[in-house]
Amino acid sequence: MDKLTVNKASLGCILDFCANISRDMIICGANIERVTISVAKVFAAYELTDTSIYVLSNYISLAARDHDGAYASRQVSIRETGIELQRLKQLNRLSYTVADQKPREDQLEELLEEAVKVDSYPQWL
């Protein structure tokens, strides 16, 4: 197996993806443990080291180091949450797909945009 290389721009793409999918999962009603596991799997898939994953229901902090020693972090505040099980199912599936297939880092945000395209229903439903 070829050694996976992650450059500085790629590290940023991976962290952006993980921060965004984490935020979206929390907003949709995911529990903190599910979000933490999803991010850890993506970090492991891209062979990031010195990782830090800190998730609360209103705040996310992620950090990691790539093979070249570059270190980066992302922090996200979450203002509102709800329950959108269909969207959460899509996001959860996406996190496992990314961990298994390791798509190019520049494709991650596009995959996330596609995953959240599900029908929304009125609150009373």
Side-chain angles (χ1 to χ4, degrees), residues 2 4 6 10 16 22 27 32 35 50 68 80-81 95 102 109 117:
D2 292 333
L4 180 68
V6 177
S10 297
D16 288 341
S22 298
I27 288 172
I32 292 169
V35 175
D50 297 333
D68 295 330
E80 60 184 65
T81 61
S95 71
K102 294 183 277 193
E109 285 303 314
K117 290 182 182 177

Side-chain angles (χ1 to χ4, degrees), residues 49-76:
T49 60
D50 297 333
T51 61
S52 173
I53 303 168
Y54 183 73
V55 180
L56 296 173
S57 60
N58 62 352
Y59 178 77
I60 299 166
S61 177
L62 307 173
R65 185 177 309 278
D66 66 12
H67 294 293
D68 295 330
Y71 187 79
S73 65
R74 298 292 186 271
Q75 291 79 37
V76 178

Side-chain angles (χ1 to χ4, degrees), residues 24-30 78 80-85 88 123:
D24 290 349
M25 289 175 81
I26 295 278
I27 288 172
C28 291
I78 302 167
E80 60 184 65
T81 61
I83 297 178
E84 295 183 48
L85 296 178
L88 178 56
Q123 183 74 21

Side-chain angles (χ1 to χ4, degrees), residues 27-121:
I27 288 172
C28 291
N31 65 35
I32 292 169
E33 183 179 15
R34 167 59 35 218
V35 175
T36 303
I37 289 168
S38 295
V39 172
K41 285 179 177 281
V42 173
F43 280 1
Y46 287 97
E47 300 177 7
L48 301 180
T49 60
D50 297 333
T51 61
S52 173
I53 303 168
Y54 183 73
V55 180
L56 296 173
S57 60
N58 62 352
Y59 178 77
I60 299 166
S61 177
L62 307 173
R65 185 177 309 278
D66 66 12
H67 294 293
D68 295 330
Y71 187 79
S73 65
R74 298 292 186 271
Q75 291 79 37
V76 178
S77 294
I78 302 167
R79 298 180 191 258
E80 60 184 65
T81 61
I83 297 178
E84 295 183 48
L85 296 178
Q86 186 61 29
R87 183 168 284 154
L88 178 56
K89 181 179 174 182
Q90 292 291 103
L91 292 167
N92 194 44
R93 182 178 297 138
L94 175 60
S95 71
Y96 279 91
T97 301
V98 168
D100 289 340
Q101 297 177 3
K102 294 183 277 193
R104 287 191 340 260
E105 295 84 1
D106 60 346
Q107 295 176 320
L108 293 174
E109 285 303 314
E110 183 179 318
L111 293 171
L112 182 58
E113 288 174 12
E114 287 298 315
V116 297
K117 290 182 182 177
V118 295
D119 292 334
S120 294
Y121 298 99

